[in-house]
Structures are given as structure tokens and as C-alpha cells.
mmCIF file of all heavy atoms in Angstrom:
data_model
loop_
_atom_site.group_PDB
_atom_site.id
_atom_site.type_symbol
_atom_site.label_atom_id
_atom_site.label_comp_id
_atom_site.label_asym_id
_atom_site.label_seq_id
_atom_site.Cartn_x
_atom_site.Cartn_y
_atom_site.Cartn_z
ATOM 1 N N LEU A 75 -1.620 -2.665 -1.442
ATOM 2 C CA LEU A 75 -1.123 -2.348 -2.783
ATOM 3 C C LEU A 75 0.266 -2.942 -3.000
ATOM 4 O O LEU A 75 0.582 -3.427 -4.105
ATOM 5 C CB LEU A 75 -1.089 -0.828 -2.979
ATOM 6 C CG LEU A 75 -2.443 -0.102 -2.952
ATOM 7 C CD1 LEU A 75 -2.236 1.401 -3.072
ATOM 8 C CD2 LEU A 75 -3.358 -0.616 -4.057
ATOM 9 N N ALA A 76 1.084 -2.909 -1.951
ATOM 10 C CA ALA A 76 2.429 -3.485 -2.053
ATOM 11 C C ALA A 76 2.367 -4.986 -2.299
ATOM 12 O O ALA A 76 3.157 -5.535 -3.080
ATOM 13 C CB ALA A 76 3.220 -3.180 -0.784
ATOM 14 N N MET A 77 1.426 -5.671 -1.651
ATOM 15 C CA MET A 77 1.264 -7.114 -1.851
ATOM 16 C C MET A 77 0.761 -7.422 -3.254
ATOM 17 O O MET A 77 1.194 -8.403 -3.882
ATOM 18 C CB MET A 77 0.305 -7.678 -0.804
ATOM 19 C CG MET A 77 0.876 -7.687 0.612
ATOM 20 S SD MET A 77 -0.328 -8.187 1.876
ATOM 21 C CE MET A 77 -0.756 -9.831 1.302
ATOM 22 N N LEU A 78 -0.168 -6.602 -3.748
ATOM 23 C CA LEU A 78 -0.647 -6.795 -5.118
ATOM 24 C C LEU A 78 0.498 -6.649 -6.106
ATOM 25 O O LEU A 78 0.628 -7.438 -7.069
ATOM 26 C CB LEU A 78 -1.754 -5.791 -5.444
ATOM 27 C CG LEU A 78 -3.086 -5.940 -4.702
ATOM 28 C CD1 LEU A 78 -4.041 -4.828 -5.132
ATOM 29 C CD2 LEU A 78 -3.710 -7.307 -4.955
ATOM 30 N N LEU A 79 1.326 -5.644 -5.874
ATOM 31 C CA LEU A 79 2.480 -5.427 -6.750
ATOM 32 C C LEU A 79 3.461 -6.582 -6.649
ATOM 33 O O LEU A 79 4.007 -7.038 -7.664
ATOM 34 C CB LEU A 79 3.176 -4.113 -6.373
ATOM 35 C CG LEU A 79 4.427 -3.748 -7.170
ATOM 36 C CD1 LEU A 79 4.094 -3.557 -8.648
ATOM 37 C CD2 LEU A 79 5.061 -2.477 -6.609
ATOM 38 N N GLN A 80 3.659 -7.061 -5.450
ATOM 39 C CA GLN A 80 4.597 -8.171 -5.224
ATOM 40 C C GLN A 80 4.160 -9.430 -5.951
ATOM 41 O O GLN A 80 4.994 -10.201 -6.447
ATOM 42 C CB GLN A 80 4.690 -8.438 -3.714
ATOM 43 C CG GLN A 80 5.843 -9.307 -3.273
ATOM 44 C CD GLN A 80 5.886 -9.450 -1.763
ATOM 45 O OE1 GLN A 80 4.911 -9.870 -1.139
ATOM 46 N NE2 GLN A 80 7.017 -9.091 -1.161
ATOM 47 N N ASN A 81 2.846 -9.663 -6.051
ATOM 48 C CA ASN A 81 2.313 -10.880 -6.675
ATOM 49 C C ASN A 81 1.945 -10.695 -8.147
ATOM 50 O O ASN A 81 1.437 -11.623 -8.781
ATOM 51 C CB ASN A 81 1.081 -11.360 -5.912
ATOM 52 C CG ASN A 81 1.401 -11.735 -4.473
ATOM 53 O OD1 ASN A 81 2.487 -12.236 -4.187
ATOM 54 N ND2 ASN A 81 0.460 -11.486 -3.568
ATOM 55 N N SER A 82 2.201 -9.513 -8.678
ATOM 56 C CA SER A 82 1.848 -9.231 -10.066
ATOM 57 C C SER A 82 2.981 -9.639 -11.016
ATOM 58 O O SER A 82 4.157 -9.515 -10.673
ATOM 59 C CB SER A 82 1.537 -7.745 -10.234
ATOM 60 O OG SER A 82 1.285 -7.430 -11.575
ATOM 61 N N THR A 83 2.584 -10.116 -12.189
ATOM 62 C CA THR A 83 3.593 -10.505 -13.188
ATOM 63 C C THR A 83 4.230 -9.279 -13.825
ATOM 64 O O THR A 83 5.376 -9.334 -14.265
ATOM 65 C CB THR A 83 2.953 -11.377 -14.275
ATOM 66 O OG1 THR A 83 1.827 -10.686 -14.834
ATOM 67 C CG2 THR A 83 2.479 -12.710 -13.683
ATOM 68 N N THR A 84 3.479 -8.202 -13.856
ATOM 69 C CA THR A 84 4.040 -6.954 -14.370
ATOM 70 C C THR A 84 4.153 -5.964 -13.221
ATOM 71 O O THR A 84 3.318 -5.963 -12.314
ATOM 72 C CB THR A 84 3.146 -6.337 -15.470
ATOM 73 O OG1 THR A 84 1.883 -5.979 -14.911
ATOM 74 C CG2 THR A 84 2.937 -7.330 -16.598
ATOM 75 N N LYS A 85 5.179 -5.139 -13.235
ATOM 76 C CA LYS A 85 5.430 -4.222 -12.128
ATOM 77 C C LYS A 85 4.996 -2.792 -12.430
ATOM 78 O O LYS A 85 5.228 -1.897 -11.617
ATOM 79 C CB LYS A 85 6.925 -4.236 -11.788
ATOM 80 C CG LYS A 85 7.456 -5.611 -11.424
ATOM 81 C CD LYS A 85 6.661 -6.254 -10.267
ATOM 82 C CE LYS A 85 7.173 -7.649 -9.942
ATOM 83 N NZ LYS A 85 6.381 -8.304 -8.885
ATOM 84 N N THR A 86 4.355 -2.605 -13.567
ATOM 85 C CA THR A 86 3.891 -1.256 -13.904
ATOM 86 C C THR A 86 2.366 -1.189 -14.027
ATOM 87 O O THR A 86 1.778 -0.130 -13.799
ATOM 88 C CB THR A 86 4.511 -0.787 -15.236
ATOM 89 O OG1 THR A 86 4.248 -1.760 -16.258
ATOM 90 C CG2 THR A 86 6.022 -0.601 -15.068
ATOM 91 N N ASN A 87 1.726 -2.300 -14.398
ATOM 92 C CA ASN A 87 0.274 -2.365 -14.486
ATOM 93 C C ASN A 87 -0.216 -3.507 -13.592
ATOM 94 O O ASN A 87 0.068 -4.676 -13.856
ATOM 95 C CB ASN A 87 -0.198 -2.590 -15.925
ATOM 96 C CG ASN A 87 0.020 -1.357 -16.780
ATOM 97 O OD1 ASN A 87 1.134 -1.120 -17.261
ATOM 98 N ND2 ASN A 87 -1.026 -0.568 -16.953
ATOM 99 N N VAL A 88 -0.955 -3.139 -12.551
ATOM 100 C CA VAL A 88 -1.366 -4.119 -11.540
ATOM 101 C C VAL A 88 -2.892 -4.141 -11.423
ATOM 102 O O VAL A 88 -3.531 -3.087 -11.393
ATOM 103 C CB VAL A 88 -0.740 -3.789 -10.175
ATOM 104 C CG1 VAL A 88 -1.163 -4.808 -9.119
ATOM 105 C CG2 VAL A 88 0.782 -3.723 -10.278
ATOM 106 N N ILE A 89 -3.447 -5.358 -11.381
ATOM 107 C CA ILE A 89 -4.892 -5.512 -11.209
ATOM 108 C C ILE A 89 -5.239 -5.393 -9.731
ATOM 109 O O ILE A 89 -4.628 -6.028 -8.880
ATOM 110 C CB ILE A 89 -5.362 -6.888 -11.748
ATOM 111 C CG1 ILE A 89 -5.074 -7.003 -13.238
ATOM 112 C CG2 ILE A 89 -6.854 -7.089 -11.465
ATOM 113 C CD1 ILE A 89 -5.767 -5.963 -14.079
ATOM 114 N N ASN A 90 -6.246 -4.556 -9.424
ATOM 115 C CA ASN A 90 -6.721 -4.380 -8.047
ATOM 116 C C ASN A 90 -8.208 -4.746 -7.994
ATOM 117 O O ASN A 90 -9.058 -3.977 -8.452
ATOM 118 C CB ASN A 90 -6.511 -2.934 -7.591
ATOM 119 C CG ASN A 90 -6.883 -2.722 -6.130
ATOM 120 O OD1 ASN A 90 -7.523 -3.559 -5.511
ATOM 121 N ND2 ASN A 90 -6.477 -1.590 -5.573
ATOM 122 N N PRO A 91 -8.547 -5.918 -7.425
ATOM 123 C CA PRO A 91 -9.956 -6.344 -7.399
ATOM 124 C C PRO A 91 -10.824 -5.488 -6.467
ATOM 125 O O PRO A 91 -12.062 -5.565 -6.543
ATOM 126 C CB PRO A 91 -9.872 -7.781 -6.883
ATOM 127 C CG PRO A 91 -8.614 -7.825 -6.078
ATOM 128 C CD PRO A 91 -7.665 -6.896 -6.777
ATOM 129 N N CYS A 92 -10.208 -4.674 -5.622
ATOM 130 C CA CYS A 92 -10.986 -3.839 -4.685
ATOM 131 C C CYS A 92 -11.314 -2.471 -5.267
ATOM 132 O O CYS A 92 -12.237 -1.801 -4.779
ATOM 133 C CB CYS A 92 -10.222 -3.673 -3.381
ATOM 134 S SG CYS A 92 -9.994 -5.198 -2.439
ATOM 135 N N TYR A 93 -10.566 -2.023 -6.272
ATOM 136 C CA TYR A 93 -10.926 -0.781 -6.946
ATOM 137 C C TYR A 93 -12.133 -1.031 -7.837
ATOM 138 O O TYR A 93 -12.290 -2.136 -8.395
ATOM 139 C CB TYR A 93 -9.769 -0.269 -7.799
ATOM 140 C CG TYR A 93 -8.711 0.521 -7.055
ATOM 141 C CD1 TYR A 93 -7.480 0.813 -7.660
ATOM 142 C CD2 TYR A 93 -8.931 1.003 -5.776
ATOM 143 C CE1 TYR A 93 -6.499 1.537 -6.999
ATOM 144 C CE2 TYR A 93 -7.967 1.732 -5.105
ATOM 145 C CZ TYR A 93 -6.748 1.997 -5.715
ATOM 146 O OH TYR A 93 -5.786 2.711 -5.050
ATOM 147 N N PRO A 94 -13.010 -0.035 -8.025
ATOM 148 C CA PRO A 94 -14.203 -0.235 -8.860
ATOM 149 C C PRO A 94 -13.834 -0.542 -10.316
ATOM 150 O O PRO A 94 -12.783 -0.130 -10.813
ATOM 151 C CB PRO A 94 -14.929 1.104 -8.762
ATOM 152 C CG PRO A 94 -14.373 1.764 -7.543
ATOM 153 C CD PRO A 94 -12.962 1.310 -7.438
ATOM 154 N N GLN A 95 -14.707 -1.258 -10.961
ATOM 155 C CA GLN A 95 -14.542 -1.521 -12.388
ATOM 156 C C GLN A 95 -14.578 -0.181 -13.143
ATOM 157 O O GLN A 95 -15.282 0.745 -12.756
ATOM 158 C CB GLN A 95 -15.672 -2.431 -12.877
ATOM 159 C CG GLN A 95 -15.504 -2.919 -14.298
ATOM 160 C CD GLN A 95 -16.617 -3.869 -14.705
ATOM 161 O OE1 GLN A 95 -17.481 -4.199 -13.892
ATOM 162 N NE2 GLN A 95 -16.607 -4.305 -15.944
ATOM 163 N N ASP A 96 -13.779 -0.075 -14.175
ATOM 164 C CA ASP A 96 -13.656 1.130 -15.001
ATOM 165 C C ASP A 96 -12.879 2.245 -14.300
ATOM 166 O O ASP A 96 -12.951 3.409 -14.708
ATOM 167 C CB ASP A 96 -15.034 1.688 -15.432
ATOM 168 C CG ASP A 96 -15.841 0.679 -16.231
ATOM 169 O OD1 ASP A 96 -15.214 -0.156 -16.929
ATOM 170 O OD2 ASP A 96 -17.078 0.706 -16.136
ATOM 171 N N TYR A 97 -12.161 1.900 -13.249
ATOM 172 C CA TYR A 97 -11.341 2.912 -12.579
ATOM 173 C C TYR A 97 -9.881 2.486 -12.605
ATOM 174 O O TYR A 97 -9.549 1.308 -12.417
ATOM 175 C CB TYR A 97 -11.762 3.103 -11.118
ATOM 176 C CG TYR A 97 -10.861 4.056 -10.359
ATOM 177 C CD1 TYR A 97 -11.008 5.435 -10.493
ATOM 178 C CD2 TYR A 97 -9.830 3.574 -9.539
ATOM 179 C CE1 TYR A 97 -10.174 6.319 -9.822
ATOM 180 C CE2 TYR A 97 -8.987 4.441 -8.862
ATOM 181 C CZ TYR A 97 -9.157 5.816 -9.007
ATOM 182 O OH TYR A 97 -8.319 6.676 -8.351
ATOM 183 N N SER A 98 -8.997 3.454 -12.844
ATOM 184 C CA SER A 98 -7.553 3.196 -12.761
ATOM 185 C C SER A 98 -6.871 4.457 -12.252
ATOM 186 O O SER A 98 -7.375 5.576 -12.439
ATOM 187 C CB SER A 98 -6.987 2.801 -14.128
ATOM 188 O OG SER A 98 -7.041 3.890 -15.025
ATOM 189 N N THR A 99 -5.750 4.260 -11.598
ATOM 190 C CA THR A 99 -4.982 5.386 -11.072
ATOM 191 C C THR A 99 -3.503 5.037 -11.096
ATOM 192 O O THR A 99 -3.127 3.861 -11.013
ATOM 193 C CB THR A 99 -5.414 5.728 -9.632
ATOM 194 O OG1 THR A 99 -4.755 6.919 -9.222
ATOM 195 C CG2 THR A 99 -5.075 4.608 -8.658
ATOM 196 N N SER A 100 -2.682 6.041 -11.243
ATOM 197 C CA SER A 100 -1.236 5.844 -11.274
ATOM 198 C C SER A 100 -0.623 6.462 -10.021
ATOM 199 O O SER A 100 -0.899 7.624 -9.690
ATOM 200 C CB SER A 100 -0.629 6.487 -12.526
ATOM 201 O OG SER A 100 -1.105 5.844 -13.694
ATOM 202 N N LEU A 101 0.193 5.682 -9.329
ATOM 203 C CA LEU A 101 0.814 6.111 -8.080
ATOM 204 C C LEU A 101 2.320 5.943 -8.163
ATOM 205 O O LEU A 101 2.821 5.001 -8.786
ATOM 206 C CB LEU A 101 0.280 5.277 -6.900
ATOM 207 C CG LEU A 101 -1.241 5.282 -6.685
ATOM 208 C CD1 LEU A 101 -1.613 4.280 -5.597
ATOM 209 C CD2 LEU A 101 -1.727 6.677 -6.329
ATOM 210 N N MET A 102 3.028 6.862 -7.539
ATOM 211 C CA MET A 102 4.480 6.748 -7.477
ATOM 212 C C MET A 102 4.863 5.694 -6.443
ATOM 213 O O MET A 102 4.145 5.474 -5.458
ATOM 214 C CB MET A 102 5.107 8.092 -7.120
ATOM 215 C CG MET A 102 4.942 9.153 -8.188
ATOM 216 S SD MET A 102 5.735 10.727 -7.726
ATOM 217 C CE MET A 102 7.460 10.214 -7.623
ATOM 218 N N GLY A 103 6.002 5.081 -6.655
ATOM 219 C CA GLY A 103 6.471 4.073 -5.719
ATOM 220 C C GLY A 103 6.623 4.625 -4.310
ATOM 221 O O GLY A 103 6.366 3.928 -3.318
ATOM 222 N N SER A 104 7.022 5.887 -4.199
ATOM 223 C CA SER A 104 7.214 6.498 -2.887
ATOM 224 C C SER A 104 5.904 6.585 -2.106
ATOM 225 O O SER A 104 5.892 6.552 -0.873
ATOM 226 C CB SER A 104 7.821 7.896 -3.041
ATOM 227 O OG SER A 104 6.981 8.726 -3.838
ATOM 228 N N HIS A 105 4.768 6.706 -2.813
ATOM 229 C CA HIS A 105 3.467 6.776 -2.149
ATOM 230 C C HIS A 105 3.194 5.496 -1.355
ATOM 231 O O HIS A 105 2.566 5.526 -0.292
ATOM 232 C CB HIS A 105 2.353 6.995 -3.183
ATOM 233 C CG HIS A 105 0.966 6.918 -2.606
ATOM 234 N ND1 HIS A 105 0.372 7.986 -1.971
ATOM 235 C CD2 HIS A 105 0.065 5.887 -2.572
ATOM 236 C CE1 HIS A 105 -0.840 7.631 -1.567
ATOM 237 N NE2 HIS A 105 -1.052 6.361 -1.923
ATOM 238 N N ILE A 106 3.688 4.384 -1.876
ATOM 239 C CA ILE A 106 3.431 3.087 -1.249
ATOM 240 C C ILE A 106 4.528 2.700 -0.265
ATOM 241 O O ILE A 106 4.259 2.242 0.843
ATOM 242 C CB ILE A 106 3.282 1.986 -2.325
ATOM 243 C CG1 ILE A 106 2.141 2.336 -3.287
ATOM 244 C CG2 ILE A 106 3.065 0.619 -1.691
ATOM 245 C CD1 ILE A 106 2.056 1.429 -4.498
ATOM 246 N N PHE A 107 5.776 2.912 -0.641
ATOM 247 C CA PHE A 107 6.883 2.308 0.103
ATOM 248 C C PHE A 107 7.654 3.257 1.024
ATOM 249 O O PHE A 107 8.510 2.800 1.777
ATOM 250 C CB PHE A 107 7.852 1.652 -0.885
ATOM 251 C CG PHE A 107 7.243 0.502 -1.625
ATOM 252 C CD1 PHE A 107 6.875 0.635 -2.961
ATOM 253 C CD2 PHE A 107 7.026 -0.705 -0.993
ATOM 254 C CE1 PHE A 107 6.310 -0.428 -3.656
ATOM 255 C CE2 PHE A 107 6.458 -1.778 -1.673
ATOM 256 C CZ PHE A 107 6.094 -1.639 -3.012
ATOM 257 N N ASP A 108 7.368 4.540 0.981
ATOM 258 C CA ASP A 108 8.049 5.439 1.909
ATOM 259 C C ASP A 108 7.338 5.451 3.259
ATOM 260 O O ASP A 108 6.929 6.489 3.777
ATOM 261 C CB ASP A 108 8.117 6.859 1.324
ATOM 262 C CG ASP A 108 9.283 7.010 0.359
ATOM 263 O OD1 ASP A 108 9.937 5.985 0.069
ATOM 264 O OD2 ASP A 108 9.528 8.133 -0.104
ATOM 265 N N SER A 109 7.193 4.274 3.824
ATOM 266 C CA SER A 109 6.535 4.093 5.114
ATOM 267 C C SER A 109 7.171 2.910 5.813
ATOM 268 O O SER A 109 7.564 1.924 5.175
ATOM 269 C CB SER A 109 5.031 3.839 4.937
ATOM 270 O OG SER A 109 4.447 3.413 6.152
ATOM 271 N N LEU A 110 7.281 3.018 7.102
ATOM 272 C CA LEU A 110 7.841 1.925 7.889
ATOM 273 C C LEU A 110 6.982 0.673 7.785
ATOM 274 O O LEU A 110 7.492 -0.450 7.931
ATOM 275 C CB LEU A 110 7.943 2.365 9.355
ATOM 276 C CG LEU A 110 9.003 1.689 10.208
ATOM 277 C CD1 LEU A 110 10.405 1.935 9.657
ATOM 278 C CD2 LEU A 110 8.893 2.179 11.652
ATOM 279 N N CYS A 111 5.692 0.851 7.507
ATOM 280 C CA CYS A 111 4.776 -0.286 7.450
ATOM 281 C C CYS A 111 4.963 -1.140 6.202
ATOM 282 O O CYS A 111 4.528 -2.301 6.172
ATOM 283 C CB CYS A 111 3.328 0.204 7.525
ATOM 284 S SG CYS A 111 2.924 1.060 9.071
ATOM 285 N N THR A 112 5.569 -0.587 5.153
ATOM 286 C CA THR A 112 5.781 -1.349 3.916
ATOM 287 C C THR A 112 7.268 -1.581 3.643
ATOM 288 O O THR A 112 7.640 -2.002 2.553
ATOM 289 C CB THR A 112 5.149 -0.599 2.722
ATOM 290 O OG1 THR A 112 5.656 0.740 2.679
ATOM 291 C CG2 THR A 112 3.638 -0.561 2.839
ATOM 292 N N GLU A 113 8.090 -1.308 4.653
ATOM 293 C CA GLU A 113 9.539 -1.425 4.484
ATOM 294 C C GLU A 113 9.948 -2.822 4.017
ATOM 295 O O GLU A 113 10.813 -2.977 3.150
ATOM 296 C CB GLU A 113 10.229 -1.095 5.819
ATOM 297 C CG GLU A 113 11.745 -1.029 5.748
ATOM 298 C CD GLU A 113 12.262 0.233 5.077
ATOM 299 O OE1 GLU A 113 11.550 1.253 5.109
ATOM 300 O OE2 GLU A 113 13.374 0.175 4.515
ATOM 301 N N ASP A 114 9.315 -3.847 4.594
ATOM 302 C CA ASP A 114 9.701 -5.228 4.276
ATOM 303 C C ASP A 114 9.099 -5.729 2.963
ATOM 304 O O ASP A 114 9.353 -6.864 2.551
ATOM 305 C CB ASP A 114 9.284 -6.166 5.409
ATOM 306 C CG ASP A 114 7.787 -6.128 5.673
ATOM 307 O OD1 ASP A 114 7.152 -5.102 5.338
ATOM 308 O OD2 ASP A 114 7.244 -7.114 6.216
ATOM 309 N N LEU A 115 8.294 -4.896 2.292
ATOM 310 C CA LEU A 115 7.657 -5.315 1.040
ATOM 311 C C LEU A 115 8.233 -4.608 -0.186
ATOM 312 O O LEU A 115 7.732 -4.788 -1.294
ATOM 313 C CB LEU A 115 6.142 -5.039 1.115
ATOM 314 C CG LEU A 115 5.359 -5.835 2.181
ATOM 315 C CD1 LEU A 115 3.918 -5.350 2.245
ATOM 316 C CD2 LEU A 115 5.406 -7.325 1.890
#
């Protein structure tokens, strides 16, 4: 998700080809980046 956000032209609405069609979800930045694994992203 961090990579998708990094490569997206918009930082609030991001296309995810792995999520099913007709599905969307909103996540806080902390959900993605408050981890040592995404620190560099």
C-alpha cells in the first residue's frame, strides 16, 4: 500500500489493482507507516 501511495499522482485517492472491483476503503496513515517495515517509504 505504501508503494502504491508513493507512485500515485494523488495522495488521498489511490488505485489498488489487487482490491476487488467495486470495493474501496479509507485507512489512516498510521495504519500503513507506523511500522518499522514501512519506515523507509
Side-chain angles (χ1 to χ4, degrees):
L75 296 176
M77 290 174 60
L78 292 178
L79 179 62
Q80 194 177 56
N81 298 326
S82 176
T83 54
T84 64
K85 302 305 178 183
T86 54
N87 289 81
V88 180
I89 298 300
N90 185 346
C92 295
Y93 277 167
Q95 188 177 357
D96 301 330
Y97 175 80
S98 67
T99 187
S100 296
L101 303 173
M102 293 181 63
S104 59
H105 173 82
I106 302 171
F107 295 106
D108 277 6
S109 169
L110 206 61
C111 298
T112 54
E113 186 75 26
D114 59 336
L115 296 174

